[in-house]
Amino acid sequence: MAAADRLRLCGGTDVPAATMTALNGRFRLPLITYFLRRGVAYADAEDMAQEVLIRTDRHGEGADRIDAYLFGVAANLLADRSRRLAVRMRHSKDIAAVSSDIDVIDPERVLIGRERLAIVTQALQELSERTRTIFMLARFENVSQREIADRLGVSLSTVEKGLAQAIAHLVRRLGDPK
């Protein structure tokens, strides 16, 4: 057989051109139809049909029923495609979830944040030393109220009242954040 009568496939296998032509003529349209009926776009169905024919030429030479073998390969190719699409969908959902959690830092938000920080700082300076210390230990350093009372040598009730005063003062100064 002359070299012109053989096709070299991408796997390096030589296949008789007549075999490839016969398989293509007999099964190409039924394979495309098979894929189309399973929701594959036409262009993808053509590519998948070509892939099935190439795989059949490569590995299906000794198959008793070439049509059963060929559609078995098609079913496996479709299953592989579905798994790949599912992985891509999960990955894109993960990316979307992560990107939606990331806040966009625009200049207006930065300015508003700085203004609010200045108000909080000024409001804290307006508190008495003890009330400011109670608030800062409780909110910024996560110290328990009992431990604050012990550190400052005051009653637990004094700590509770000081914390309530500080919070009320900050709420008044910051206004209603609607």
Side-chain angles (χ1 to χ4, degrees), residues 1-86:
M1 189 178 295
D5 295 337
R6 300 185 68 74
L7 296 175
R8 178 167 297 277
L9 299 178
C10 54
T13 307
D14 285 335
V15 176
T19 302
M20 186 66 156
T21 303
L23 284 174
N24 190 36
R26 183 172 170 204
F27 292 110
R28 182 174 172 274
L29 287 177
L31 283 169
I32 290 172
T33 302
Y34 173 84
F35 290 124
L36 289 174
R37 287 187 178 165
R38 282 151 183 85
V40 177
Y42 187 79
D44 292 337
E46 283 185 329
D47 291 343
M48 291 173 76
Q50 184 66 31
E51 178 66 24
V52 168
L53 292 170
I54 289 171
R55 288 182 185 188
T56 302
D57 271 346
R58 243 188 261 157
H59 304 289
E61 290 180 12
D64 294 336
R65 291 194 49 217
I66 194 69
D67 56 340
Y69 179 80
L70 200 126
F71 282 94
V73 170
N76 290 337
L77 188 62
L78 193 60
D80 289 346
R81 180 179 185 268
S82 294
R83 280 190 294 271
R84 276 194 311 275
L85 288 175

Side-chain angles (χ1 to χ4, degrees), residues 158-175:
T158 302
V159 172
E160 290 170 351
K161 287 177 188 173
L163 193 55
Q165 285 174 352
I167 291 170
H169 182 68
L170 287 170
V171 167
R172 279 192 308 272
R173 292 285 275 127
L174 287 171

Side-chain angles (χ1 to χ4, degrees), residues 53-122:
L53 292 170
I54 289 171
R55 288 182 185 188
T56 302
D57 271 346
R58 243 188 261 157
H59 304 289
E61 290 180 12
D64 294 336
R65 291 194 49 217
I66 194 69
D67 56 340
Y69 179 80
L70 200 126
F71 282 94
V73 170
N76 290 337
L77 188 62
L78 193 60
D80 289 346
R81 180 179 185 268
S82 294
R83 280 190 294 271
R84 276 194 311 275
L85 288 175
V87 167
R88 287 182 187 150
M89 288 298 291
R90 276 194 312 271
H91 180 69
S92 64
K93 285 180 184 176
D94 291 344
I95 295 294
V98 167
S99 64
S100 70
D101 290 343
I102 298 172
D103 288 332
V104 177
I105 300 175
D106 62 286
E108 183 180 8
R109 283 192 60 200
V110 171
L111 180 62
I112 291 169
R114 285 182 180 163
E115 288 173 353
R116 290 179 66 83
L117 179 61
I119 292 169
V120 168
T121 304
Q122 180 62 39

